[in-house]
Amino acid sequence: MFPAYQSGREFDPELVDQLSVLPEFVRHVRLRQRPGRGFEADDFLAAAVASEEASGGTAVVASGDRDAFQLASARTTVLHPVKAGEMARIGPSEVRERYGVDPQQVPDFIALRGDPSDKLPGARGVGPKTAAALLRRCGTLEQAIAEGRFVEQADETPYLPTHRHHGPSGTAPAARRSGPDMGQGPLHWFGNGN
């Protein structure tokens, strides 16, 4: 993982104190849980959405993290806070309106543009408009690199893929559509704890 990723984050001590009661709360309200090392909350959200969509269901994801925009689909809506008490409903058309790319291109868009909140530098000289235009033309960051773009920068930036290594898909560390196995069948977040 990129060493500077999410470095320097500070958390409210009251929030940290609440983490110790979280497992008990999860059991009490019968939320499904799947502990897994090496995964972030984003990974679990993506896995839950994939599981729900695969079972024919729909999902609503409430997150202040714009990485979640990659989850928007015909079956999944992202609720994103815009100001105190107000949430924006983000679907595929809203992602295209905000970023100029389709939801599945959001990880590559973030990798190209960078993400200051996670301390991820983007490709040198690439801002949001250039990133969107490149992805509209090439489809993916991998394809852009296969066409000879960003090869030098891919060598300099550890989370950008290189066609020599055939490595990661080019996604920023916190931006992945899939994640840990959430088990079989639809997820029942509340209720009988299935």
Side-chain angles (χ1 to χ4, degrees), residues 26-111:
V26 167
R27 279 190 304 278
H28 181 73
V29 297
R30 297 181 182 165
L31 290 172
R32 179 177 282 191
Q33 61 180 349
R34 290 274 194 255
R37 294 191 186 282
F39 293 108
E40 298 182 357
D42 293 355
D43 301 316
F44 287 96
L45 284 173
V49 164
S51 176
E52 188 64 24
E53 287 186 355
S55 71
T58 59
V60 176
V61 175
S63 176
D65 189 341
R66 289 180 187 89
D67 290 345
F69 290 2
Q70 69 185 292
L71 302 175
S73 73
R75 293 179 170 242
T76 299
T77 299
V78 178
L79 297 179
H80 185 75
V82 289
K83 54 184 166 182
E86 191 175 318
M87 302 288 268
R89 296 178 68 83
I90 307 295
S93 62
E94 289 79 13
V95 173
R96 285 188 288 275
E97 184 179 312
R98 285 175 183 234
Y99 292 150
V101 299
D102 289 327
Q104 67 271 17
Q105 294 174 306
V106 167
D108 287 349
F109 177 83
I110 291 170

Side-chain angles (χ1 to χ4, degrees), residues 171-192:
T171 60
R176 292 172 280 223
R177 174 89 180 151
S178 61
D181 179 15
M182 297 300 286
Q184 297 295 317
L187 296 176
H188 299 283
W189 295 103
F190 296 97
N192 63 8

Side-chain angles (χ1 to χ4, degrees), residues 10-22:
E10 294 182 22
F11 298 97
D12 186 330
E14 289 180 12
L15 176 63
V16 174
D17 289 343
Q18 292 173 24
L19 291 177
S20 64
V21 298
L22 187 59

Side-chain angles (χ1 to χ4, degrees), residues 128-151:
K129 289 180 183 177
T130 302
L134 181 72
L135 291 172
R136 281 193 303 274
R137 190 170 53 256
C138 296
T140 67
L141 178 55
E142 290 248 347
Q143 183 61 39
I145 290 172
E147 293 175 8
R149 300 176 183 270
F150 306 110
V151 173

